[in-house]
């Protein structure tokens, strides 16, 4: 009898833990530590930096979760998380100084890590039976929980700096509108202030290619935006001796109605129709220094949604 009940107890525990990954940001903190992530290499297409994990962020910080329902897990459940997690520390990646970093004395002043850390990808949905009754499903659940914990940890750190989701979303929408307008107008000078160095280089090339095909572009966003939400949050450490020296990246999904029209050198319309509204889904990554006084949010990258994600 005892042998029969043990698996069901474990299943009940796993279901409770997984539901915790659906808790909203406003829910109570989970006072536990999560797994130490092994050394990893960042996406090679993002730049020349390896995202290593040489240091650990020690402590028992709170972890707000993202989702719909509210649930509080007591700290007494920390030991039960050993089913999924073998260590008790949270870490950030360590960024190497890029070429544009300025060296002052023995210190390096970074304006941006220069890459997107762990670019967001939508997780493929799996059936309930596969998640809870197969080894691969349990492994997938473990990965899902770790991803949520990393985002929750980054948001918790950001809140200590006075972060307000409502205020940030308002600022992000204004930046989204401003940056798209500057791109349409080809205003490189103003654009530099709102994006990181690497992103500015990419946008300059994009504008140059567009201007070779179209003489002028009209772009307009129909306000308010249809939807905006946070998909991922990540911290990037830049000094292994000082864990407070970090950058944070927030990946946002923005769904908005837009109007677009392109003209040739004679003023004739060659693409688009500004009388029609088009629903556009964008995934933008915003970045901010957590240790530079007066640091502002800037666009550091854009992620192209996959076809399956666009249809969902």
């Amino acid at each position: 009898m005892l042998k029969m009940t043990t698996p069901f107890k474990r299943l009940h525990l796993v279901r409770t833990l997984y539901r915790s990954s659906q808790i909203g940001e406003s829910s109570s903190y989970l006072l536990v530590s999560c797994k130490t992530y092994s050394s990893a290499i960042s996406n090679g297409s993002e730049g020349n930096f390896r995202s290593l994990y040489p240091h650990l962020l020690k402590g028992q910080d709170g972890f707000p979760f993202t989702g719909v329902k509210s649930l509080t897990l007591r700290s007494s459940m920390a030991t039960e998380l050993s089913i999924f997690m073998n260590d008790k520390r949270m870490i950030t990646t360590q960024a190497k100084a890029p070429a544009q970093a300025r060296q002052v004395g023995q210190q390096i002043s970074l304006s941006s890590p220069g890459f997107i850390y762990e670019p967001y990808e939508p997780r493929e949905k799996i059936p309930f039976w596969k998640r809870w009754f197969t080894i691969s499903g349990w492994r997938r659940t473990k990965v899902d929980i770790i991803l949520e914990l990393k985002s929750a940890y980054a948001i918790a750190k950001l809140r200590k700096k006075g972060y307000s989701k409502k205020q940030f979303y308002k600022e992000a929408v204004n930046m989204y509108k401003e940056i798209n307008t500057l791109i349409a107008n080809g205003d490189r000078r103003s654009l530099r202030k709102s994006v990181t160095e690497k992103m500015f280089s990419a946008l300059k090339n994009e504008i140059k290619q567009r201007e070779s095909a179209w003489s002028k572009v009209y772009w307009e966003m129909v306000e308010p935006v249809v939807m905006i939400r946070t998909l991922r949050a990540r911290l990037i450490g830049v000094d292994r001796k000082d864990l407070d020296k970090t950058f944070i990246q927030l990946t946002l999904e923005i769904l908005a109605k837009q109007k677009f029209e392109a003209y040739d050198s004679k003023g004739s319309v060659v693409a688009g129709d500004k009388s029609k509204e088009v629903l556009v889904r964008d995934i933008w990554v915003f970045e901010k220094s957590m240790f530079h006084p007066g640091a502002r949010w800037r666009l550091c990258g854009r992620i192209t949604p996959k076809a399956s994600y666009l249809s969902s």
Side-chain angles (χ1 to χ4, degrees), residues 74-122:
R74 302 299 180 184
S75 58
S76 60
M77 293 186 64
T79 55
E80 297 176 344
L81 277 178
S82 60
I83 293 176
F84 295 106
M85 304 169 185
N86 300 321
D87 206 336
K88 296 181 179 180
R89 299 169 214 170
M90 172 74 78
I91 36 187
T92 61
T93 185
Q94 185 76 27
K96 291 186 177 181
Q100 69 266 26
R102 301 186 303 275
Q103 188 164 357
V104 182
Q106 297 298 321
Q107 297 182 342
I108 296 178
S109 176
L110 274 176
S111 58
S112 171
F115 64 97
I116 300 176
Y117 174 49
E118 292 189 352
Y120 171 82
E121 287 187 6

Side-chain angles (χ1 to χ4, degrees), residues 79-217:
T79 55
E80 297 176 344
L81 277 178
S82 60
I83 293 176
F84 295 106
M85 304 169 185
N86 300 321
D87 206 336
K88 296 181 179 180
R89 299 169 214 170
M90 172 74 78
I91 36 187
T92 61
T93 185
Q94 185 76 27
K96 291 186 177 181
Q100 69 266 26
R102 301 186 303 275
Q103 188 164 357
V104 182
Q106 297 298 321
Q107 297 182 342
I108 296 178
S109 176
L110 274 176
S111 58
S112 171
F115 64 97
I116 300 176
Y117 174 49
E118 292 189 352
Y120 171 82
E121 287 187 6
R123 306 285 291 169
E124 181 182 356
K125 294 182 180 180
I126 59 176
F128 175 85
W129 66 266
K130 184 176 181 180
R131 180 179 291 279
W132 300 118
F133 298 102
T134 65
I135 298 299
S136 61
W138 279 51
R139 289 173 178 168
R140 166 62 184 275
T141 299
K142 171 184 174 181
V143 172
D144 288 346
I145 291 176
I146 290 174
L147 289 175
E148 291 296 329
L149 285 173
K150 292 173 79 173
S151 287
Y153 182 82
I155 294 294
K157 286 291 185 181
L158 186 58
R159 279 180 174 155
K160 293 181 179 180
K161 300 290 185 179
Y163 167 80
S164 164
K165 184 172 73 171
K166 182 179 180 180
Q167 181 61 35
F168 171 67
Y169 280 0
K170 182 178 179 181
E171 183 178 352
V173 169
N174 289 335
M175 289 183 63
Y176 178 79
K177 179 180 179 181
E178 178 186 6
I179 291 173
N180 274 311
T181 301
L182 293 174
I183 293 173
N185 296 336
D187 190 344
R188 298 168 178 80
R189 183 174 181 179
S190 300
L191 191 61
R192 183 188 292 271
K193 303 175 184 178
S194 302
V195 301
T196 62
E197 289 77 7
K198 185 173 181 179
M199 192 64 204
F200 179 66
S201 178
L203 290 178
K204 279 199 307 180
N205 292 333
E206 182 180 304
I207 293 173
K208 184 177 180 180
Q209 292 178 3
R210 189 203 68 211
E211 289 178 341
S212 65
W214 300 330
S215 178
K216 186 180 178 182
V217 169

